Amino acid sequence: MRIIAGTKRGMKLLGPKTGDSRPITDRVKESLFNVLFKYDLPKDKIVADLFCGVGSLGLEALSRGAVFVTFVENEPKVVTVLEKNIEKAGFVKESKIVRADAFKVGAPAGFSEQEYALVFVDPPYACTRDVGTGSPLSKLFKLASEQVIADGFVVVRTHERTKLLEQYGPLEVIERRQWGTMAVTILQRKCR
């Protein structure tokens, strides 16, 4: 696991010591950021990385020019590794760690109380089996829709069998991608 591009290109990230993580592969991460590039992301944007693990997506965003990233992770041992990765990359001033359950806090304010342009949502696959109205994931989307800017993006990583609804309040699916058994759905906050 490493940072693919940007100012920290090639930097190896420390991995989790737990066996229940699903680190994103370098190839898939590169493909995902190539997709995000067409939406002018993440350069000069404020980003949140929910269920961030050791920070692979958020650190990639910082390396590619994001202004600030709020990392949300609940597991204490993983947060310790995350802190080391942020320090190793030299992004301490450009980041904030929130140790909390992302289902409960979403993307809390992290940088001058501004809302986010991009939010990564990468929960354990077991938590994404139920995607209907009233599900924990649906409630998280409602919360996140209040924390992203108008026309902001929410990127959700799930198992390939998980099919998100077309819309969650103001968040609408604009693109779906699949790499192996992993699926990524990009939602955008539409203003009416």
Side-chain angles (χ1 to χ4, degrees), residues 45 114-118 144-145 147-153 189 191:
K45 304 296 190 281
Q114 293 184 19
E115 296 170 317
Y116 297 94
L118 173 62
S145 73
Q147 298 167 325
V148 297
I149 61 173
D151 296 323
F153 297 85
R189 181 180 170 195
C191 296

Side-chain angles (χ1 to χ4, degrees), residues 52-66:
C52 68
V54 298
S56 180
L57 293 173
L59 289 168
E60 186 73 34
L62 285 167
S63 180
R64 291 175 185 243

